[in-house]
């Protein structure tokens, strides 16, 4: 069967930057563009030249890509020619191979927002698209508010699409700008557009996630014949976000009927970098990746229930819709008080520990986990701490160093500017190979701000571990979560720390104590020991 080509258009560098709290630097935009290109995206929308300094700077230094770099703008304004519109000129001056212009297709917006006649708006579309084509660029038309416009006045909404195509547009893109249209209406209206003579291979879809249906709506449009899908990495975007390409791409490549009927620029090989691409974006944004994210989340292939883990041991397809390695993710068998021996043996095997079913240490490990969870620990989300616990019970955990004592002080004092500031200081004494080492560290950052007592402890502990120092130099803490458990006078603090190293490995450790510093230190110790174990 001959497959049809479906094109992927990424708008992370523009729509993603409209996310509340997100502002990419030029260097970050260059990094994201290279990642998108390596993944196999067909179009990369770099931003709106002239709208802000960052977007303009990006186009001045955009990386060379196989993907078609695209500048975004709007159709010319009424009362002036396309050649004399300075806003349109800034978009053209970006020098990209493709230009995407947004224009109104909903009569309400034409009359209310623009204050012009329907015919004037349609003329603006025609002349703007023709201007792009006459300058040797590929033209795309984003039909803003199309689905609402079609419901209000289908004849006019369609006439705007036809005007763009007749002027030479390569693509017309149906935009659900307010994000309120549901999948059935997306399918129905897109089908009607195709039936009205708009070719599917010139038709795109652009959805927003205001009803948590952006991915479903995009797929509904593909089902109806659209052959371009627009979206962003991790679903970034204004309000509730845009369609999430991280979920759409593997669905198109791995699920029927798409896998058998459609081709994209993403190969099965580059699909294996999808999880890495998703987490790289979170790293740039200084965000913790969503564990429950489809396909790429840390919990996407986590099997907590004992019944599930037992079946997974026999055949992973019993509880997994795809093999996790196809998208660069991995299977996790969490340990918790719901676990059985099947979970335990499977998790040990993943850590490289093949333990016989009748090993007497197994029930001891399981009992220890359940007892600790009763006291506030959680091994469901602290896999590294679980492995250390299990190895200790099996007699397979080396003692790299011993902590003899530690002390943390927090001082509040006035600085030279007569402002009250905090200063945390930690002292840690460890014994390594029979030799005691004392390390002292403050928690000041490069700007002279105090990062707190836990930061001081982490820096002091990792300051001098003798022969093991090289192994932890590339290690850093990326997340710190605190929760009070039990409550009342018996309340204890649970701390979970996420760590990462230069090889891109990420692991979680847990500590529990009535004292938050003690709990944090326990999790820090586990984090370092797991790193030394892995690099041994």
């Amino acid at each position: 069967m001959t497959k049809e080509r479906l094109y992927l258009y990424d708008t992370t560098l523009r729509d993603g930057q409209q996310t509340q709290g997100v502002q990419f630097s030029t260097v970050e935009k260059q990094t994201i563009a290279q990642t998108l290109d390596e993944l196999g995206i067909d179009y990369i929308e770099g931003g709106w030249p002239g709208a802000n300094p960052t977007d303009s700077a990006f186009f001045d230094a955009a990386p060379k890509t196989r993907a078609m770099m695209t500048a975004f703008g709007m159709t010319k304004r009424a009362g002036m020619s396309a050649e004399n519109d300075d806003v349109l000129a800034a978009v053209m001056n970006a020098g990209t191979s493709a230009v995407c212009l947004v224009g109104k297709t909903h009569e309400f917006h034409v009359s209310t927002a623009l204050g012009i006649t329907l015919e004037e708006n349609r003329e603006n579309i025609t002349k703007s698209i023709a201007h792009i084509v006459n300058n040797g660029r590929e033209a795309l038309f984003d039909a803003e508010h199309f689905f609402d416009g079609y419901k209000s006045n289908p004849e006019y909404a369609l006439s705007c699409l036809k005007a763009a195509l007749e002027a030479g547009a390569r693509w017309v893109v149906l935009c659900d700008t307010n994000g309120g249209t549901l999948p059935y209406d997306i399918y129905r209206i897109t089908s009607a557009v195709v039936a009205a003579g708009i070719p599917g291979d010139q038709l795109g879809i652009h959805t927003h996630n205001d009803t948590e249906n952006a991915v479903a709506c995009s797929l509904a449009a593909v089902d109806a014949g659209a052959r371009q899908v627009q979206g962003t990495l991790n679903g970034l975007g204004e309000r509730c976000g845009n369609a999430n390409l991280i979920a759409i791409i593997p669905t198109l490549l791995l699920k029927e009927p798409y896998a058998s009927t459609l081709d994209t620029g993403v190969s099965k090989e580059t699909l294996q970098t999808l999880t890495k691409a998703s987490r790289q974006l979170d790293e740039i944004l200084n965000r913790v990746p969503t564990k429950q994210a489809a396909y790429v989340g840390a919990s996407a292939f986590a099997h907590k229930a004992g019944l599930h883990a037992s079946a997974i041991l026999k055949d992973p397809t019993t509880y997994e819709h795809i093999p996790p390695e196809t998208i660069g993710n991995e299977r996790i068998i969490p340990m918790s008080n719901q676990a059985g021996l099947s979970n335990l043996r499977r998790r040990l095997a993943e850590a490289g520990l093949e333990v016989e079913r009748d090993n007497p240490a197994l029930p001891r490990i399981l009992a220890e986990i359940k007892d600790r969870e009763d006291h506030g620990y959680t091994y469901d989300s602290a896999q590294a701490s679980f492995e250390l616990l299990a190895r200790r019970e099996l007699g397979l955990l080396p003692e790299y160093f011993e902590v003899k004592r530690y002390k943390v002080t927090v001082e509040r004092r006035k600085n030279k500017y007569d402002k009250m500031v905090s200063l945390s200081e930690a002292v840690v004494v460890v014994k390594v190979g029979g030799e005691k080492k004392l390390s002292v560290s403050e928690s000041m950052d490069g700007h002279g701000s105090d990062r707190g007592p836990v930061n001081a402890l982490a820096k002091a502990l990792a300051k001098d571990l003798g022969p093991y120092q090289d192994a932890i130099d590339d290690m850093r803490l990326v997340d710190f979560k605190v929760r009070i458990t039990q409550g009342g006078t018996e309340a204890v603090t649970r701390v979970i720390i996420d760590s990462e190293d230069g090889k891109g490995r990420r692991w979680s450790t847990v500590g529990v104590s009535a004292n938050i510093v003690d709990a944090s230190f326990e999790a820090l110790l586990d984090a370092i020991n797991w790193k030394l174990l892995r690099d041994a």
Side-chain angles (χ1 to χ4, degrees):
M1 178 186 295
T2 302
K3 293 185 177 182
E4 288 186 73
R5 185 68 159 86
L6 185 141
Y7 294 83
L8 298 170
Y9 184 110
D10 182 272
T11 70
T12 303
L13 301 182
R14 183 186 65 83
D15 279 321
Q17 196 160 253
Q18 293 176 3
T19 307
Q20 188 174 13
V22 171
Q23 182 62 51
F24 298 124
S25 68
T26 300
V27 172
E28 288 169 343
K29 292 186 73 164
Q30 291 169 335
T31 300
I32 295 168
Q34 289 169 337
T35 297
L36 292 167
D37 194 45
E38 291 166 3
L39 186 59
I41 299 299
D42 298 295
Y43 292 82
I44 299 173
E45 190 175 272
W48 188 328
N52 59 74
T54 304
D55 281 7
S56 298
F58 171 76
F59 285 109
D60 288 340
K64 300 296 181 184
T65 58
R66 174 207 54 79
M68 188 169 289
M69 190 62 67
T70 308
F72 181 88
M74 65 181 184
T75 55
K76 79 171 189 69
R77 290 165 289 180
M80 62 178 64
S81 68
E83 290 77 11
N84 291 323
D85 189 313
D86 57 329
V87 177
L88 185 53
V91 177
M92 296 296 291
N93 290 340
T96 55
S97 301
V99 174
C100 181
L101 298 182
V102 63
K104 306 293 187 186
T105 56
H106 185 184
E107 61 177 356
F108 167 74
H109 283 268
V110 174
S111 57
T112 304
L114 297 182
I116 59 177
T117 68
L118 300 185
E119 183 53 42
E120 283 178 309
N121 177 65
R122 192 163 48 218
E123 182 180 336
N124 289 343
I125 294 170
T126 297
K127 291 188 174 179
S128 300
I129 295 297
H131 178 61
I132 294 172
V133 175
N134 291 338
N135 279 274
R137 315 289 179 82
E138 180 175 313
L140 299 92
F141 175 63
D142 268 8
E144 190 180 30
H145 297 288
F146 179 80
F147 292 95
D148 293 328
Y150 185 90
K151 293 174 185 177
S152 172
N153 186 337
E155 291 78 15
Y156 181 71
L158 283 169
S159 74
C160 292
L161 300 183
K162 292 177 179 178
L165 286 176
E166 289 167 3
R170 166 66 182 90
W171 294 98
V172 290
V173 182
L174 312 183
C175 300
D176 183 31
T177 310
N178 288 355
T181 309
L182 297 179
Y184 173 75
D185 269 349
I186 295 283
Y187 177 84
R188 178 180 64 83
I189 294 172
T190 305
S191 298
V193 169
V194 174
I198 307 295
D201 61 2
Q202 290 187 267
L203 190 62
I205 181 68
H206 180 112
T207 62
H208 285 257
N209 205 34
D210 297 74
T211 65
E212 202 67 47
N213 278 288
V215 170
C217 286
S218 297
L219 294 174
V222 172
D223 292 340
R227 289 300 176 259
Q228 185 198 97
V229 175
Q230 296 193 356
T232 62
L233 294 181
N234 293 348
L236 287 184
E238 195 171 24
R239 303 188 312 275
C240 304
N242 286 50
N244 186 0
L245 288 180
I246 293 294
I248 290 172
I249 290 170
T251 299
L252 292 172
L253 266 71
L254 303 174
K255 299 295 183 180
E256 296 298 347
Y258 314 110
S260 297
T261 59
L262 299 173
D263 260 335
T264 70
V266 181
S267 68
K268 291 292 182 67
E269 289 70 33
T270 56
L271 184 63
Q272 295 174 21
T273 68
L274 192 71
T275 300
K276 179 182 176 182
S278 171
R279 294 177 184 176
Q280 179 196 56
L281 181 63
D282 285 324
E283 182 67 24
I284 288 172
L285 297 174
N286 196 27
R287 291 181 170 184
V288 178
T290 302
K291 287 191 173 183
Q292 280 72 36
Y295 291 102
V296 299
S299 298
F301 299 93
H303 306 280
K304 182 174 179 179
L307 178 65
H308 292 198
S310 177
I312 286 287
L313 278 170
K314 298 169 185 173
D315 188 336
T317 61
T318 52
Y319 284 97
E320 290 178 352
H321 66 111
I322 62 165
E325 59 271 14
T326 58
I327 38 82
N329 208 341
E330 60 182 358
R331 180 178 302 114
I332 293 177
I333 307 296
M335 291 312 305
S336 73
N337 60 9
Q338 295 184 35
L341 289 178
S342 295
N343 296 58
L344 180 57
R345 291 183 64 240
R346 176 61 187 237
R347 186 64 188 92
L348 292 173
E350 289 184 347
L353 299 170
E354 296 293 339
V355 182
E356 296 298 324
R357 186 182 296 272
D358 57 356
N359 190 311
L362 291 178
R364 293 201 305 270
I365 294 170
L366 205 54
E368 179 73 6
I369 288 169
K370 293 183 178 184
D371 179 66
R372 280 172 164 257
E373 291 213 338
D374 190 49
H375 287 83
Y377 288 83
T378 174
Y379 294 98
D380 180 7
S381 51
Q383 299 297 310
S385 286
F386 155 72
E387 183 182 339
L388 295 176
L389 181 154
R391 283 181 175 273
R392 192 175 291 115
E393 197 66 45
L394 290 165
L396 298 174
L397 182 64
E399 185 177 66
Y400 299 105
F401 62 92
E402 179 187 1
V403 177
K404 304 301 290 184
R405 66 181 178 89
Y406 74 86
K407 179 175 70 174
V408 181
T409 59
V410 179
E411 182 182 1
R412 187 80 171 156
R413 67 186 184 194
K414 285 191 174 183
N415 63 11
K416 61 182 179 180
Y417 303 108
D418 202 37
K419 290 184 177 180
M420 292 299 294
V421 296
S422 296
L423 176 66
S424 301
E425 184 180 78
V427 178
V428 177
V429 178
V430 297
K431 189 174 183 180
V432 185
E435 179 184 357
K436 283 188 178 180
K437 296 178 177 293
L438 183 148
S439 297
V440 181
S441 184
E442 294 180 343
S443 63
M444 304 294 283
D445 62 17
H447 302 288
S449 300
D450 180 47
R451 306 298 294 174
V454 176
N455 178 268
L457 261 180
K459 289 168 68 176
L461 182 59
K463 200 168 189 177
D464 186 6
L465 287 182
Y468 307 117
Q469 191 61 37
D470 287 347
I472 64 169
D473 278 344
D474 67 338
M475 175 182 163
R476 65 191 188 93
L477 308 184
V478 294
D479 195 27
F480 179 84
K481 297 181 281 289
V482 178
R483 174 142 184 209
I484 305 301
T485 68
Q486 297 182 20
T489 58
E490 297 182 357
V492 296
T493 302
R494 178 169 67 222
V495 171
I496 294 179
I497 289 176
D498 290 343
S499 304
E500 191 176 65
D501 64 12
K503 298 177 182 177
R505 293 181 300 200
R506 184 172 291 213
W507 62 100
S508 299
T509 51
V510 62
V512 170
S513 172
N515 184 309
I516 187 173
V517 175
D518 281 335
S520 303
F521 193 72
E522 182 183 7
L524 286 170
L525 279 176
D526 273 7
I528 289 177
N529 275 300
W530 188 89
K531 167 68 169 166
L532 294 177
L533 186 67
R534 275 291 175 268
D535 288 354

